[in-house]
C-alpha cells in the first residue's frame, strides 16, 4: 500500500491546529483544533470530513502538547484515520523561523532541531512551541518522517539589497539581524494560485500578494520568487495589523524608555499586542470597525484610513520594485472577506492600472476570482490562501516518493 496521507500540525504556545490530507487528490480527511492547552478549560474540536461525519467537541483539562497530540490521535483513530495507519506518509510541521539556514522543507533530525532551537532568540513566541510539537510527534511516531516547513523559507530568495538593514554589518551579522519575512507558505501558495488564475506559469507572472489577517504582510513576487516582503527580523515590521504597529521610527522606542520610563518588556507588549488597529480604535476585528464607521465613529474611521494608507504605500513601493505588475492578490481573513478594504486599497491607483469592479468585489466566494474590470491592465484578484495544503504538498513532495 502506498502511503499518501500527510498530517499537518501547527503548534502554538497553547494550541495545536491540525489537518489530515490525502495527497492523491489533496482532499481533507479531518481537521481540528486543540486550544487553551495547560488550562482547566482546554477545548478540542475535531471534524471528520469523510462520509459526512459530524464535528465532535469536548472541554476538559489537557495538560501539555503531548496530551494534546495523544487526544488528537485518539480522535483520528475513532474515524479510522489513526496515526498508526500505514497510509500515513509523514507529519508536516509549520515552523515560523528558519533563519538563513532553511530555504526549503527539511526532514527533521537532531541537527535540524538544534538549529530551530538556536533561532529561538529571534522567534521567542513561536519556535519553542513549534519544537514542542515536533518532539511530541516524534515520540508518538518515531518511525515516521517529520518535516519542518518554514514560514521564512519563501523569502530567502530576496536579494541582499532587500534583506539587509542599513546598520553596521559586523553587528548585524553577529546577532543575525536581517529581514527574514513571514507568512511564506501563504505567499508561495497565493502567488502560484494567482498565476494559475491568469492561465500563466508562475515564472511568467509578477504578483503583489497582500496577506491581510490579524497579522498582515505584503510581498513582491517576481516570476515565482520573492524579491521583497514587508515583515522583517520579526513579524512586527510592515503593515498596520490587528495588534501590531508595523513600520515605525525606531527612536520612538528610545523616547518611551527615556521620557515614558517604560521597560523593554512593556514596549514589546505595547508594539506587539496593544498597537495597530486595537491601539488606534480599541477593535482589531475589521467587521466591527466597518460597523462603527457606518455609525459615524470617527476613531474607527481614522484607524481604517491609517490601515489603508500604509497598505497603499506598500502596493506603490512593490510596484516600483517589480517594474511590471501582472496582478495584485488579496488573501487571508480580511483580504478574502472585506470588500471595503480591497476597494479602498486600490482607489486612486487607476494610473497604475489598478481598479476593482464594484459588483465583482461585492461577491462572496471561497473560490479564487478576479475582481478587476474586464480588460484591466493589472488583474486584481481574491485568492483564498491554503497554508495547510501548501505544507502538506511540500512535505509530500519531499518524502512521498519513499513512502
Amino acid at each position: 500500500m502506498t502511503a499518501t496521507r500527510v498530517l499537518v500540525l501547527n503548534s502554538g504556545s497553547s494550541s495545536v491546529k491540525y489537518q489530515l490530507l490525502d495527497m492523491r487528490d489533496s482532499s481533507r480527511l479531518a481537521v481540528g483544533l486543540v486550544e487553551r492547552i495547560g488550562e482547566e478549560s482546554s477545548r478540542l474540536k475535531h471534524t471528520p470530513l469523510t462520509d459526512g461525519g459530524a464535528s465532535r467537541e469536548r472541554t476538559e483539562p489537557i495538560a501539555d502538547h503531548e496530551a494534546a497530540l495523544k487526544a488528537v490521535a485518539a480522535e483520528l483513530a475513532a474515524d479510522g484515520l489513526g496515526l498508526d495507519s500505514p497510509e500515513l506518509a509523514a507529519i508536516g510541521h509549520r515552523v515560523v523561523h528558519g533563519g538563513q539556514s532553511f530555504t526549503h522543507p527539511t526532514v527533521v533530525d537532531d541537527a535540524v532541531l538544534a538549529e530551530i532551537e538556536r533561532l529561538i532568540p529571534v522567534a521567542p513566541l513561536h519556535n519553542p512551541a513549534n519544537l514542542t510539537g515536533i518532539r511530541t510527534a516524534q515520540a508518538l511516531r518515531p518511525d515516521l518522517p517529520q518535516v519542518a516547513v518554514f514560514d521564512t523559507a519563501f523569502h530567502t530568495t530576496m536579494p541582499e539589497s532587500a534583506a539587509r538593514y542599513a546598520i553596521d554589518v559586523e553587528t548585524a551579522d553577529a546577532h543575525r539581524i536581517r529581514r527574514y519575512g513571514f507568512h511564506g507558505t501563504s505567499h508561495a501558495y497565493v502567488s502560484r494560485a494567482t498565476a494559475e488564475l491568469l492561465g500563466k506559469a508562475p515564472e511568467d507572472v509578477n504578483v503583489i500578494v497582500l496577506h491581510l489577517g490579524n497579522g498582515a504582510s505584503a510581498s513582491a513576487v517576481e516570476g515565482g520568487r520573492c524579491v521583497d516582503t514587508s515583515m522583517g527580523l520579526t513579524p512586527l515590521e510592515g503593515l498596520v495589523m490587528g495588534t501590531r504597529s508595523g513600520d515605525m521610527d525606531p527612536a520612538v522606542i528610545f523616547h518611551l524608555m527615556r521620557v515614558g520610563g517604560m521597560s523593554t518588556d512593556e514596549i514589546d507588549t505595547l508594539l506587539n499586542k496593544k498597537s495597530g488597529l486595537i491601539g488606534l480604535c480599541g477593535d482589531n476585528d475589521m467587521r466591527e470597525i466597518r460597523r462603527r464607521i457606518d455609525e459615524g465613529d470617527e476613531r474607527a474611521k481614522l484607524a481604517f484610513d491609517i490601515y489603508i494608507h500604509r497598505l497603499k504605500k506598500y502596493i506603490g513601493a512593490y510596484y516600483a520594485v517589480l517594474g511590471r505588475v501582472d496582478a495584485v492578490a488579496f488573501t487571508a481573513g480580511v483580504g478574502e472577506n472585506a470588500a471595503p478594504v480591497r476597494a479602498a486599497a486600490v482607489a486612486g491607483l487607476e494610473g497604475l492600472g489598478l481598479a476593482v469592479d464594484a459588483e465583482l468585489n461585492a461577491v462572496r466566494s471561497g473560490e479564487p476570482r478576479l475582481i478587476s474590470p474586464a480588460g484591466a491592465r493589472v488583474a486584481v484578484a481574491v485568492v483564498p490562501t491554503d497554508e495547510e495544503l501548501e505544507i502538506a504538498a511540500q512535505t509530500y513532495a519531499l518524502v512521498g516518493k519513499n513512502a
Side-chain angles (χ1 to χ4, degrees):
M1 178 184 293
T2 301
T4 59
R5 295 175 183 171
V6 174
L7 178 63
V8 175
L9 295 178
N10 182 351
S11 300
S13 58
S14 62
S15 67
V16 175
K17 298 177 184 177
Y18 63 94
Q19 293 194 13
L20 180 66
L21 298 95
D22 190 325
M23 300 315 297
R24 286 176 296 185
D25 56 4
S26 300
S27 61
R28 284 169 174 76
L29 304 177
V31 302
L33 166 68
V34 187
E35 57 185 350
R36 301 193 292 271
I37 295 171
E39 300 180 19
E40 289 295 315
S41 59
S42 307
R43 171 178 170 266
L44 188 156
K45 183 176 181 180
H46 173 85
T47 305
L49 300 176
T50 56
D51 302 322
S55 295
R56 302 190 293 271
E57 189 171 331
R58 52 191 168 108
T59 301
E60 60 188 36
I62 296 177
D64 51 30
H65 282 71
E66 181 179 1
L69 281 183
K70 285 181 177 177
V72 169
E75 292 293 340
L76 289 168
D79 300 318
L81 303 169
L83 265 60
D84 58 350
S85 169
E87 295 180 69
L88 188 61
I91 299 178
H93 299 264
R94 179 196 179 214
V95 179
V96 167
H97 215 309
Q100 291 179 269
S101 304
F102 300 110
T103 60
H104 296 90
T106 304
V107 175
V108 174
D109 57 20
D110 289 344
V112 171
L113 286 172
E115 182 62 15
I116 295 171
E117 191 162 16
R118 194 174 74 87
L119 288 162
I120 285 176
V122 290
L125 298 178
H126 299 96
N127 274 30
N130 302 154
L131 277 168
T132 299
I134 294 171
R135 286 171 171 148
T136 302
Q138 284 181 319
L140 290 175
R141 279 296 307 268
D143 59 313
L144 201 65
Q146 311 283 332
V147 176
V149 178
F150 299 90
D151 271 13
T152 49
F154 183 64
H155 304 303
T156 57
T157 55
M158 284 192 294
E160 285 292 280
S161 56
R164 284 259 180 198
Y165 289 111
I167 65 172
D168 173 68
V169 171
E170 286 74 20
T171 300
D173 289 348
H175 300 286
R176 301 192 297 274
I177 298 171
R178 61 188 287 116
R179 303 185 63 253
Y180 294 101
F182 299 90
H183 295 147
T185 51
S186 177
H187 287 279
Y189 177 86
V190 171
S191 60
R192 195 172 59 249
T194 301
E196 184 178 329
L197 183 64
L198 299 180
K200 298 181 179 180
E203 55 267 27
D204 296 329
V205 176
N206 289 357
V207 186
I208 297 172
V209 178
L210 304 172
H211 177 108
L212 308 179
N214 192 51
S217 60
S219 67
V221 183
E222 182 179 48
R225 293 167 57 85
C226 177
V227 294
D228 206 349
T229 193
S230 59
M231 287 179 167
L233 174 72
T234 75
L236 182 58
E237 187 181 356
L239 302 175
V240 175
M241 304 177 220
T243 65
R244 299 184 189 126
S245 64
D247 291 340
M248 189 184 65
D249 181 350
V252 171
I253 296 170
F254 313 142
H255 182 80
L256 291 172
M257 294 174 72
R258 293 168 181 156
V259 179
M262 295 178 69
S263 69
T264 52
D265 286 345
E266 288 172 330
I267 295 170
D268 188 297
T269 298
L270 171 70
L271 299 182
N272 278 291
K273 298 181 179 179
K274 297 182 179 179
S275 295
L277 292 172
I278 205 163
L280 290 167
C281 72
D283 271 311
N284 63 331
D285 187 320
M286 188 59 71
R287 293 165 296 187
E288 182 63 16
I289 291 170
R290 290 302 309 177
R291 184 193 65 77
R292 288 171 56 184
I293 291 171
D294 291 342
E295 293 178 353
D297 188 317
E298 288 299 320
R299 192 173 165 194
K301 184 178 185 306
L302 178 60
F304 183 82
D305 289 347
I306 292 170
Y307 181 95
I308 294 299
H309 179 76
R310 184 79 56 82
L311 194 52
K312 280 190 176 183
K313 283 176 67 174
Y314 269 91
I315 293 172
Y318 287 170
Y319 207 118
V321 166
L322 291 169
R324 187 198 85 238
V325 175
D326 299 296
V328 173
F330 289 88
T331 194
V334 174
E336 293 170 27
N337 298 298
V341 169
R342 299 191 296 260
V346 303
L349 301 183
E350 292 81 6
L352 298 178
L354 288 163
V356 298
D357 179 289
E359 289 187 9
L360 294 176
N361 190 36
V363 171
R364 295 184 66 88
S365 170
E367 297 299 319
R369 60 199 184 276
L370 295 177
I371 58 171
S372 44
R377 179 154 52 97
V378 178
V380 179
V382 180
V383 179
T385 192
D386 198 332
E387 294 174 88
E388 290 78 15
L389 177 58
E390 182 70 14
I391 292 170
Q394 291 190 26
T395 297
Y396 193 68
L398 186 62
V399 305
K401 60 182 177 294
N402 298 319

